Amino acid sequence: MESFGERLRLLRQEKSIGQIQLAKELDVGKSIISLWELNKCEPTLSKLIALAQFFGVSIDYLAGLEE
């Protein structure tokens, strides 16, 4: 099963955007995106919602609760 970080990285790569661009979209630092992708920390609920909206997926998908 893919982790949150793996799903986030794959979604970002599918959209062909870098960590810096995603960080700007979400108004966070680039290091935060890296930490999320490495599963070193998790986003707040508001950032999780923003990620789901940005990528057009559900929060359940990001959390690994659905395929």
Side-chain angles (χ1 to χ4, degrees):
M1 184 165 128
E2 294 170 333
S3 68
F4 166 77
E6 290 169 328
R7 285 181 183 233
L8 176 58
R9 182 175 28 81
L10 288 172
L11 286 168
R12 185 176 56 74
Q13 289 172 341
E14 285 173 9
K15 204 160 183 154
S16 298
I17 62 170
Q19 289 181 343
I20 294 171
Q21 185 178 351
L22 181 57
K24 286 179 183 176
E25 291 286 336
L26 298 174
D27 195 29
V28 298
K30 181 227 174 257
S31 61
I32 294 296
I33 304 298
S34 179
L35 289 171
W36 290 346
E37 290 185 2
L38 293 170
N39 295 302
K40 300 283 183 182
C41 69
E42 297 175 346
T44 62
L45 180 58
S46 63
K47 294 303 181 189
L48 191 61
I49 292 168
L51 282 165
Q53 291 174 333
F54 181 79
F55 288 113
V57 298
S58 69
I59 292 173
D60 284 349
Y61 174 80
L62 284 171
L65 299 174
E66 66 181 42
E67 294 296 318

